[in-house]
Amino acid sequence: MMDKAQDIQFSKKNLIIFDLDNTLAESKAAIDHEMAGLLSGLLDRGGVAIISGGDWPQFEKQVLANLPSGSKLSQLSILPTCGTKFYQYQSGAWKKLYSEDFTAQEKNKILKNLQDAVKETGNVPEKLWGEQIEDRGSQITFSALGQHAPLQPKQAWDPDFAKRKVIQGLLKKTIPEFSVQLGGATSIDITKPGIDKAYGIFKLRDVLNIPIKDMLFIGDAIFEGGNDYPATRTGADCINVKDPEDTKDLIRKILQRP
């Protein structure tokens, strides 16, 4: 969807919203020096937000620790776990504004059905790097090869999302009361119903008092079933990118526009 960028008036966008993995950085990797500089340039220009399936520590490791000194953090909003949490930089520290956590009963139901779905599909890898299922409080995340898998095997495991779509299909039948979205290179993110990246965008509208029409969302999974797809329901302009290099090209175009 990069061609769509030609039709968007970037000068009228007061908030640029990004996905993280495979958009700003490779899966679970830190943003590189060039991306850090581009993001800092956007923060000088106006508001920036990042919504991702990762939890708060991932944002600290992948993004915040790598931004140039002096970056305008007060212009940055962080929404972990697909928008189920919201952090702002206030008075020299990051403050959590909300967290839509599961109850113990909800967690147990999700975990049981997720484990059953994985077994039923037979998508059991030969090797795991860390835990396969992570409880992030407001989100349950399945990482097929484990939370700490290297990038190369992750990219090779399910490049067309086909394996995860089968698991997703089963979960939509067994736990229809929850949102089940695909994200990252090997992940499935489960949140409360209606709490997804669209929910996060509407929260950004309410907290920052910025109209939806003045927002631009950028992600690599803007397709039906992808965890960026809910953003398309908000009315915000959305641009699908292939990878971080694609995102860099787009940011340069945004920064070049008056």
Side-chain angles (χ1 to χ4, degrees):
M1 294 187 194
M2 274 288 286
D3 291 342
K4 185 179 178 182
Q6 299 174 0
D7 303 322
I8 295 175
Q9 293 181 283
F10 296 127
S11 61
K12 294 185 177 181
K13 299 301 179 184
N14 295 323
L15 182 66
I16 311 298
I17 309 166
F18 295 95
D19 169 50
L20 177 51
D21 280 353
N22 301 321
T23 298
L24 292 177
E26 299 291 354
S27 181
K28 297 288 181 72
I31 58 172
D32 64 23
H33 180 74
E34 185 179 24
M35 182 65 81
L38 289 168
L39 286 176
S40 187
L42 281 180
L43 290 169
D44 286 336
R45 175 187 181 276
V48 174
I50 306 174
I51 307 178
S52 172
D55 207 351
W56 173 250
Q58 284 298 128
F59 283 87
E60 291 184 299
K61 177 182 176 182
Q62 290 183 254
V63 180
L64 300 179
N66 302 285
L67 290 174
S69 176
S71 295
K72 293 183 178 178
L73 298 181
S74 61
Q75 294 271 59
L76 179 60
S77 298
I78 300 292
L79 286 78
T81 54
C82 294
T84 59
K85 300 177 183 180
F86 193 127
Y87 288 80
Q88 273 191 324
Y89 195 75
Q90 301 177 0
S91 303
W94 287 98
K95 178 182 178 182
K96 182 166 66 175
L97 302 188
Y98 71 78
S99 182
E100 304 286 357
D101 292 340
F102 290 121
T103 65
Q105 185 177 8
E106 287 172 330
K107 287 181 184 180
N108 289 337
K109 183 174 184 180
I110 291 168
L111 291 170
K112 179 185 183 304
N113 283 280
L114 177 56
Q115 291 164 349
D116 290 345
V118 173
K119 289 179 183 177
E120 184 172 341
T121 60
N123 288 320
V124 180
E126 294 181 1
K127 182 177 180 179
L128 287 177
W129 289 266
E131 293 296 322
Q132 203 175 34
I133 297 174
E134 183 182 3
D135 176 3
R136 297 176 178 173
S138 57
Q139 176 178 294
I140 302 295
T141 295
F142 168 76
S143 297
L145 304 184
Q147 295 293 328
H148 307 297
L151 182 59
Q152 187 173 357
K154 287 172 68 173
Q155 290 178 329
W157 186 76
D158 190 29
D160 58 359
F161 294 85
K163 293 178 181 178
R164 282 174 289 166
K165 283 181 179 178
V166 177
I167 299 172
Q168 181 188 45
L170 290 173
L171 291 173
K172 285 188 173 182
K173 293 177 181 178
T174 57
I175 51 171
E177 68 270 37
F178 298 103
S179 174
V180 182
Q181 304 289 344
L182 310 182
T186 64
S187 301
I188 297 175
D189 299 321
I190 304 170
T191 61
K192 287 187 176 183
I195 300 180
D196 49 27
K197 291 188 179 179
Y199 178 88
I201 288 173
F202 287 129
K203 280 290 190 179
L204 285 165
R205 175 198 62 190
D206 297 341
V207 172
L208 302 179
N209 196 28
I210 296 176
I212 295 290
K213 65 180 177 64
D214 295 339
M215 300 180 184
L216 172 64
F217 178 82
I218 300 166
D220 73 303
I222 306 177
F223 55 82
E224 193 162 356
N227 69 357
D228 294 328
Y229 188 73
T232 64
R233 302 197 306 264
T234 66
D237 282 319
C238 298
I239 298 178
N240 196 80
V241 291
K242 295 180 295 184
D243 52 34
E245 294 304 313
D246 209 16
T247 302
K248 289 177 184 178
D249 289 340
L250 181 55
I251 295 175
R252 292 187 193 101
K253 289 181 181 178
I254 295 172
L255 292 173
Q256 288 168 1
R257 300 293 173 91

